[in-house]
Amino acid sequence: MCLKDTILPVGGGKAGKYPLFVKRGDVIETNFYAMHRSRQIWGEDADEFRPERWEKSYPVWAFMGFNGGPRTCPAQQMVYTEAAYVIGRLARRYAKLENRDPCEAWQEEMRLNFQSKNGVRVGLFATE
């Protein structure tokens, strides 16, 4: 909720490129679903599941999985650290990872947030 009248530098006008007046008491919400599928940021294939798109860098605010600025999730660094640890341990223990999902295409399911409809069906082959 806006605590005092303010003017945001952009967001006004049809193209969203002009200043925007926000009066005290107004509520501003962010639609992360729409933002994470923005063709302006991700290109014409924004709705497609393409993990290789992460091979190049994007603006800090392009992906808001942990929010940003003063509202950044306090557990963000812990999540990154734990993910790196688990991936490292899996890479050391298993020589091969095999897809076991009969459906190769990404299927999305909405719960509290979006997730894989089929879970993670993989075969792991131990390092000898």
Side-chain angles (χ1 to χ4, degrees):
M1 179 179 298
C2 188
L3 300 178
K4 65 180 183 176
D5 289 355
T6 191
I7 297 175
L8 300 176
V10 293
K14 288 185 179 183
K17 296 182 179 183
Y18 294 97
L20 176 70
F21 175 72
V22 183
K23 68 180 180 187
R24 183 177 188 262
D26 282 353
V27 174
I28 297 176
E29 295 182 356
T30 303
N31 184 332
F32 295 114
Y33 180 85
M35 192 170 110
H36 290 160
R37 285 155 182 80
S38 169
R39 285 179 168 72
Q40 286 180 306
I41 298 171
W42 307 108
E44 289 304 311
D45 62 350
D47 288 327
E48 295 177 29
F49 178 68
R50 285 192 327 101
E52 63 274 10
R53 78 173 74 241
W54 296 104
E55 291 174 354
K56 68 177 191 174
S57 63
Y58 285 94
V60 175
W61 292 96
F63 176 72
M64 298 285 294
F66 293 96
N67 215 332
R71 304 263 188 267
T72 299
C73 174
Q76 178 181 8
Q77 290 307 311
M78 180 186 74
V79 170
Y80 286 155
T81 301
E82 286 183 357
Y85 174 79
V86 169
I87 291 168
R89 294 293 297 170
L90 286 171
R92 287 185 65 177
R93 183 162 184 181
Y94 299 101
K96 182 179 170 189
L97 174 106
E98 181 179 275
N99 180 21
R100 298 278 175 91
D101 193 333
C103 179
E104 295 255 341
W106 169 259
Q107 292 184 312
E108 206 166 63
E109 178 178 55
M110 173 128 181
R111 296 242 176 134
L112 177 59
N113 123 12
F114 289 93
Q115 64 186 40
S116 169
K117 183 176 182 179
N118 300 325
V120 181
R121 297 177 184 182
V122 296
L124 298 170
F125 298 86
T127 303
E128 299 191 22

